[in-house]
């Protein structure tokens, strides 16, 4: 795992799928990790209590609360909020390059439950033939779920890889989105 940015704070959020580690800086949400390997027997602590107990700036607490609210709505199957500016968490995307930024802008248009191929994303970003480069962006996605790399599949219709928990998790997320 890469070194955390300076002055970052981490929070554990329990979803219906798995525990999720959220890392924030004063610029916004920096990283989201699905902790598939964690045991379900670990005690869940109230998220609001966790946030209030953190020794960090009010901005970081606001960013964490916004992200937790977004994730809660996502797992409830309420997708009406996904790309609305007033409910979208502030993201610290300082770690991404120009090509990655183009890829994420493209994926913002893919609705929950829909999919797009790596090659189609490459073409839409103006980089036709760069499907592998798109795959690398997906592999290095630090903001899983919010930047929906699980919606990118292979051109033959198979799922492809999912660095945030494997193909079983990718299938679960797509099914969850299709069911709501």
């Amino acid at each position: 795992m890469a070194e955390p940015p300076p002055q970052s704070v981490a929070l554990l959020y329990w979803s219906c799928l798995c525990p999720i580690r959220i890392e924030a800086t004063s610029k916004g949400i920096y990283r989201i990790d699905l902790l598939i390997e964690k045991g379900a027997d670990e005690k869940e602590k109230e998220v609001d209590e966790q946030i209030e107990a953190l020794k960090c700036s009010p901005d970081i607490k606001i960013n964490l609360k916004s992200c937790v609210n977004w994730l809660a709505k996502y797992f409830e199957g309420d997708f009406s909020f996904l790309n609305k500016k007033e409910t979208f968490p502030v993201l610290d995307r300082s770690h991404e390059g120009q090509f990655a930024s183009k890829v994420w802008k493209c994926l913002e248009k893919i609705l929950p439950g829909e999919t797009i191929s790596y090659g189609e994303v490459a073409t839409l970003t103006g980089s036709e033939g760069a499907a592998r480069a798109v795959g690398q962006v997906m592999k290095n996605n630090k903001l899983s779920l919010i930047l929906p790399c699980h919606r990118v599949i292979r051109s033959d219709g198979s799922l492809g890889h999912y660095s945030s928990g494997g193909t079983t998790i990718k299938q679960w997320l797509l099914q969850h989105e299709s069911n709501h």
Side-chain angles (χ1 to χ4, degrees), residues 106-127:
C106 174
L107 288 187
E108 288 173 1
K109 299 173 184 145
I110 309 304
L111 298 175
E114 293 183 0
T115 57
I116 188 169
S117 75
Y118 295 95
E120 289 171 314
V121 172
T123 299
L124 290 171
T125 62
S127 300

Side-chain angles (χ1 to χ4, degrees), residues 47-154:
V47 173
D48 288 339
E49 288 176 32
Q50 285 187 71
I51 292 172
E52 291 309 315
L54 292 171
K55 294 183 184 341
C56 61
S57 72
D59 288 346
I60 292 177
K61 289 181 181 186
I62 289 168
N63 290 335
L64 286 168
K65 285 180 183 181
S66 173
C67 184
V68 165
N69 289 337
W70 191 97
L71 288 168
K73 293 281 189 190
Y74 177 86
F75 284 109
E76 288 169 6
D78 179 359
F79 304 130
S80 62
F81 68 96
L82 281 182
N83 291 325
K84 292 183 179 177
K85 289 198 185 289
E86 63 273 8
T87 57
F88 199 77
V90 174
L91 304 177
D92 177 353
R93 295 164 71 169
S94 59
H95 53 277
E96 70 185 37
Q98 187 176 14
F99 181 68
S101 183
K102 287 181 184 179
V103 169
W104 300 131
K105 281 192 184 294
C106 174
L107 288 187
E108 288 173 1
K109 299 173 184 145
I110 309 304
L111 298 175
E114 293 183 0
T115 57
I116 188 169
S117 75
Y118 295 95
E120 289 171 314
V121 172
T123 299
L124 290 171
T125 62
S127 300
E128 190 167 345
R132 287 181 188 244
V134 169
Q136 285 294 14
V137 170
M138 302 296 116
K139 179 181 177 185
N140 295 314
N141 182 7
K142 292 183 185 305
L143 295 161
S144 184
L145 296 177
I146 292 178
L147 299 179
C149 59
H150 62 277
R151 296 183 192 144
V152 182
I153 62 171
R154 292 180 175 160

